[in-house]
Amino acid sequence: MTLTDRVAIVTGAGNGIGSATALALARAGADVAVVDIDKAAAEKTAADVAALGRRSLALATDVGDVAAIDKMVRQVADAFGRIDTLVNNAGVTRRAYIMDLTEADWDRIMRVNGKGVFFCLQRVAREMIPRRSGVIVNIASIAGKATRARRTPSTLAARRP
């Protein structure tokens, strides 16, 4: 696969799957905007992309904030001239027993994993539609499909603190 002179945005690219995705796109020839809430992590991945001979841009962005998403897309379009690919990879979770999950935990998860994905997709699509070209990839965790032993009232009671 060749992505020579294509421009990609990867959210949550400071580490893990996002960083690996950004580097794979760079190896295939793409210039990459590395987006992460952690500026230092974004800069590290962006430096790794540049070391592969591709242009890179590190952006500290909270994808749960629509104004921040808009600013990020403008910065990428200004820096590279266009956006060919968006990889919506940013996501958060809170490993907790379901009965311990708070409203604040839930709101944070929904803000990043739902709102962030949708509004990044929407905003980048506005750049792609006039050119009639672009690819958007949304990454989700398999954790939502995890199967566990069936919980009975007695096992649920045993887990309570």
Side-chain angles (χ1 to χ4, degrees), residues 10-11 17-18 21 86-91 113 117 136-141:
V10 182
T11 67
I17 293 169
T21 300
L86 166 65
V87 178
N88 261 325
N89 173 71
N113 299 359
V117 169
I136 297 174
V137 178
N138 297 314
I139 296 177
S141 169

Side-chain angles (χ1 to χ4, degrees), residues 32-35 42 46 49 55-59 72 75-77 79-80:
V32 183
V34 177
V35 176
V49 166
R55 293 184 301 161
S56 65
L57 177 65
L59 296 172
M72 177 262 298
Q75 288 175 300
V76 174
F80 296 113

Side-chain angles (χ1 to χ4, degrees), residues 31-42:
D31 297 324
V32 183
V34 177
V35 176
D36 201 283
I37 198 163
D38 180 339
K39 183 176 181 164

Side-chain angles (χ1 to χ4, degrees), residues 60-85:
T61 304
D62 176 356
V63 298
D65 179 338
V66 175
I69 292 168
D70 189 54
K71 179 181 177 184
M72 177 262 298
V73 172
R74 278 194 321 267
Q75 288 175 300
V76 174
D78 289 348
F80 296 113
R82 68 179 192 284
I83 300 166
D84 299 297
T85 303

Side-chain angles (χ1 to χ4, degrees), residues 38 41 48 70 73 113 118 121 123 126 156:
D38 180 339
D48 292 343
D70 189 54
V73 172
N113 299 359
F118 177 80
L121 178 154
R123 181 61 183 85
R126 286 187 178 130
L156 289 174

